[in-house]
């Protein structure tokens, strides 16, 4: 099969398209013929090995957002059959889906929403699972929290743009998103943000100007190191902060404010379940829930940049755009390899 | 009235007993004639100003564990009447209860359990509220968690000894406590620990030797800075850690392991509700729940060191014992001032 591969870590130049063997299925795997794929910040981090992955001994296939058709199932797999239309985010510790075929454990695969195109559907899995896990598994936001306030950083970004929708439409929270340019502001509001503030300016002052002294929840998708001190000031006593950014570079003295307010800080890593093989079917359950909500038009797709094929030039350009941090919504590629 | 006061920060030498005015009631206060008081680590931190409190402009009364009889109520207080037997932990931002009388907001006062002596009852409020808030408000441990594992550090300490009981008897968790000497080990087991391990030795190796590769929950009561790296290794994916120690001195690179496992870290500060005046009646509710459980003999008192009066020598000695970190259970003083 054809795949986007790399043999060393580095810039977009390490990416190439090559002919490699089709994946061999493990007992609970399904083999998926890809129809569409999307990029995520983790592609860039993996390509450059910012995530501190193991040294490359062979080629590596990136990509953790796939939609396609089941072609075969493993000896012990029972959830899907050939011909099923499915979507998944996959495991960071296996070969990814920037290829014609991908093998994925059936427990982290869901049925694709029927009303979306392949490309529209590819905008959901990784960021949708991330936001869902953050809200329901980590922060444990529930019915009794309706009407409370949440600040979501980078509202027009991959996770931000789905998180706003879930926070507003499902959890019925009052949503303040950060956005710094007219297009981001427009998108954040379209997804459901009640207010936007500019993350390049003083967050506390802008919140106060909107009439909020504190917020009950914060979802940090962008720069915990820069924002943590401010979060200590604006989070409510007993508030909850979740971050999809690791805390390795924070100034720990900024945790004092969280302590004095009895705040909870949740780290969210979408690959935890597949990496440690714990409670993996929860991701299938989340994907099925997202599919239902997408089909019911509660959640809107965010495939705003669509490349019509996977050429070397297209995948490198998709990476460059992802790397810029300035794109809106999701970057998607139709999985026709040329 | 008589009170233990200090006019400067420092060692036990700054403590003295003096005649000071009875407190003036705010509208929602109750005036309580103290019958028994207990010490806590926060007394030491406040006395030395490790908690970075405001400079002393007048005398300061320490003490945040009181049991006594209501003598008067404020103009807008309705929960209690003169003669009621009550208990409380109070507010760190007001004068404490190392005195003959203390004024406390009625919303953070509960009815004393009827079956306990004054001294037995004094062993509960601050640490009981802390453990209850940790489990139910921060970690949100519930029915579905029965049978999961928790590691509690310093099992024979003030918070540890009540936390073990709640974790074992109410939450039905499997409890591993740390304890480093025969008396601590015996007490930890008596309170309900299924296993003890020695916190002066390698925690991971000892857990593994007991057959636990990971634990689902951790309650840190002692030294987060020292233990955080180990916690990253022994916490289960999606596990929850709560700490009653601030994180200001941790090495933030140790947070990477929490991130990769999608762990939640809760900071617990018993004084948050009274300091920020949020949801204060929750503390009354918790105290009433603790009283019920004490009267039903589900929870055992931990008044292991009882001074029969508050003399200057006794209060200083109680502080020295509390400071040593080597005592078991709680240090209590009958509130007869001499």
């Amino acid at each position: 099969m054809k795949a986007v591969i790399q043999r060393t870590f580095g810039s977009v130049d390490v990416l190439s398209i090559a002919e490699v063997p089709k994946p061999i299925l493990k007992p609970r795997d399904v083999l998926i013929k890809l129809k569409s794929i999307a990029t995520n910040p983790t592609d860039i981090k993996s390509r450059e090995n910012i995530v501190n992955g193991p040294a490359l001994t062979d080629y590596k296939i990136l990509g953790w957002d796939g939609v396609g058709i089941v072609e075969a199932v493993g000896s012990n797999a029972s959830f899907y059959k050939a011909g099923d239309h499915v979507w998944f985010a996959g495991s960071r510790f296996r070969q990814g889906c920037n290829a014609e075929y991908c093998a994925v454990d059936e427990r982290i695969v869901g049925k694709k929403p029927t009303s979306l195109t392949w490309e529209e559907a590819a905008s959901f899995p990784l960021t949708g699972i991330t936001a869902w896990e953050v809200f329901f598994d980590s922060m444990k936001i529930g019915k009794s929290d309706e009407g409370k306030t949440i600040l979501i950083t980078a509202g027009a970004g991959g996770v931000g743009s789905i998180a706003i929708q879930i926070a507003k439409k499902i959890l019925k929270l009052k949503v303040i998103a950060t956005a710094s340019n007219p297009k981001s502001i427009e998108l954040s509001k379209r997804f459901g943000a009640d207010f936007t503030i500019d993350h390049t300016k003083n967050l506390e002052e802008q919140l106060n100007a909107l009439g909020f002294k504190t917020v009950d929840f914060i979802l940090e998708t962008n720069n915990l190191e820069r924002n943590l001190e401010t979060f200590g000031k604006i989070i409510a006593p007993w508030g909850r902060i979740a971050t999809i950014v690791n805390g390795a570079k924070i100034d720990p003295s900024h945790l004092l404010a969280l302590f004095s307010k009895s705040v909870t800080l949740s780290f969210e890593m979408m690959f935890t379940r597949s990496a440690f093989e714990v409670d993996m079917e929860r991701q299938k359950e989340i994907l099925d829930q997202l599919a239902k909500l997408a089909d019911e038009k509660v959640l809107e797709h965010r495939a705003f940049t669509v490349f019509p094929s996977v050429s070397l030039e297209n995948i490198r350009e998709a990476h460059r755009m992802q790397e810029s941090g300035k794109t809106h919504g999701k970057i998607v590629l139709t999985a026709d390899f040329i």
Side-chain angles (χ1 to χ4, degrees), chain A residues 1 3-9 14-16 18-24 46-47 53-62 94-96:
Chain A
M1 67 172 185
V4 178
I5 67 161
Q6 65 180 104
R7 294 184 182 277
T8 55
F9 297 119
V14 303
L15 300 176
S16 65
E19 190 68 31
V20 298
K22 260 192 184 180
I24 294 165
S46 295
R47 195 195 68 214
L56 293 181
T57 54
D58 198 353
Y59 65 87
K60 172 75 186 164
I61 302 174
L62 303 175
R94 301 185 65 178
Q95 298 290 23

Side-chain angles (χ1 to χ4, degrees), chain A residues 33-175:
Chain A
K33 168 90 173 80
L34 274 310
K35 297 295 286 181
S36 184
I37 56 178
T39 65
N40 286 286
T42 195
D43 297 313
I44 312 306
K45 291 177 192 159
S46 295
R47 195 195 68 214
E48 295 183 341
N49 202 24
I50 292 172
V51 291
N52 208 16
L56 293 181
T57 54
D58 198 353
Y59 65 87
K60 172 75 186 164
I61 302 174
L62 303 175
W64 291 280
D65 252 334
V67 190
I69 301 175
V70 173
E71 180 157 298
V73 305
S75 59
N76 205 21
S78 62
F79 295 167
Y80 300 101
K81 60 181 190 310
D84 283 346
H85 293 193
V86 295
W87 63 351
F88 61 94
S91 164
R92 194 159 65 74
F93 302 91
R94 301 185 65 178
Q95 298 290 23
C97 66
N98 287 353
E100 290 185 284
Y101 295 89
C102 185
V104 190
D105 190 298
E106 64 172 355
R107 291 169 291 182
I108 56 173
V109 171
K111 286 241 183 179
K112 168 190 169 290
T114 54
S115 65
L116 300 188
T117 66
W118 301 109
E119 285 70 25
E120 288 168 353
S123 73
F124 276 97
L126 189 146
T127 51
I129 293 171
T130 300
W132 202 269
E133 287 182 344
V134 158
F135 291 141
F136 296 99
D137 299 342
S138 292
M139 293 171 128
K140 294 189 182 291
I141 301 180
K143 198 82 188 159
S144 62
D145 297 307
E146 280 185 12
K148 290 187 179 172
T149 48
I150 186 168
L151 175 70
I152 297 174
T153 66
V159 170
S161 55
I162 183 79
I164 289 176
Q165 297 187 62
I166 296 172
K168 182 66 185 175
K169 296 172 193 171
I170 306 191
L171 296 169
K172 319 248 186 252
L173 301 178
K174 195 176 287 284
V175 178

Side-chain angles (χ1 to χ4, degrees), chain A residues 28-302:
Chain A
R28 294 211 66 179
D29 280 354
V30 289
L31 181 68
I32 298 162
K33 168 90 173 80
L34 274 310
K35 297 295 286 181
S36 184
I37 56 178
T39 65
N40 286 286
T42 195
D43 297 313
I44 312 306
K45 291 177 192 159
S46 295
R47 195 195 68 214
E48 295 183 341
N49 202 24
I50 292 172
V51 291
N52 208 16
L56 293 181
T57 54
D58 198 353
Y59 65 87
K60 172 75 186 164
I61 302 174
L62 303 175
W64 291 280
D65 252 334
V67 190
I69 301 175
V70 173
E71 180 157 298
V73 305
S75 59
N76 205 21
S78 62
F79 295 167
Y80 300 101
K81 60 181 190 310
D84 283 346
H85 293 193
V86 295
W87 63 351
F88 61 94
S91 164
R92 194 159 65 74
F93 302 91
R94 301 185 65 178
Q95 298 290 23
C97 66
N98 287 353
E100 290 185 284
Y101 295 89
C102 185
V104 190
D105 190 298
E106 64 172 355
R107 291 169 291 182
I108 56 173
V109 171
K111 286 241 183 179
K112 168 190 169 290
T114 54
S115 65
L116 300 188
T117 66
W118 301 109
E119 285 70 25
E120 288 168 353
S123 73
F124 276 97
L126 189 146
T127 51
I129 293 171
T130 300
W132 202 269
E133 287 182 344
V134 158
F135 291 141
F136 296 99
D137 299 342
S138 292
M139 293 171 128
K140 294 189 182 291
I141 301 180
K143 198 82 188 159
S144 62
D145 297 307
E146 280 185 12
K148 290 187 179 172
T149 48
I150 186 168
L151 175 70
I152 297 174
T153 66
V159 170
S161 55
I162 183 79
I164 289 176
Q165 297 187 62
I166 296 172
K168 182 66 185 175
K169 296 172 193 171
I170 306 191
L171 296 169
K172 319 248 186 252
L173 301 178
K174 195 176 287 284
V175 178
I176 304 134
T178 73
S180 64
N181 64 58
K183 177 79 176 160
S184 305
I185 292 169
E186 182 215 315
L187 282 171
S188 296
K189 292 199 166 160
R190 171 168 140 198
F191 290 130
D194 296 285
F195 303 96
T196 63
I197 57 180
D198 184 340
H199 45 248
T200 66
K201 298 183 181 150
N202 185 305
L203 295 181
E204 189 187 9
E205 284 173 13
Q206 293 176 89
L207 275 177
N208 292 348
L210 288 173
F212 299 104
K213 282 202 67 167
T214 58
V215 291
D216 299 303
F217 305 110
I218 295 172
L219 170 55
E220 170 57 51
T221 72
N222 190 238
N223 193 328
L224 183 66
E225 178 188 355
R226 182 187 66 199
N227 290 329
L228 185 60
E229 185 173 16
T230 300
F231 290 170
K233 295 175 187 162
I234 63 175
I235 189 73
W238 297 96
R240 294 179 168 252
I241 301 171
T243 174
I244 63 167
V245 182
N246 76 59
K249 288 186 181 168
I250 61 161
D251 174 344
S253 75
H254 295 154
L255 296 173
L256 271 174
L258 307 197
F259 175 69
S260 74
K261 289 180 171 176
S262 290
V263 167
T264 282
L265 176 64
S266 293
F267 295 96
E268 156 66 22
M269 173 64 155
M270 203 235 45
F271 295 113
T272 296
R273 290 196 155 99
S274 53
F276 294 95
E277 299 197 2
V278 291
D279 196 15
M280 286 170 77
E281 282 181 47
R282 171 74 175 144
Q283 288 205 343
K284 175 182 187 303
E285 185 185 313
I286 293 169
L287 286 167
D288 289 341
Q289 188 64 34
L290 291 168
K292 183 170 169 284
L293 291 162
D295 279 337
E296 289 168 352
K297 306 288 171 216
V298 176
L299 299 179
E300 186 183 338
H301 83 84
R302 302 147 300 128

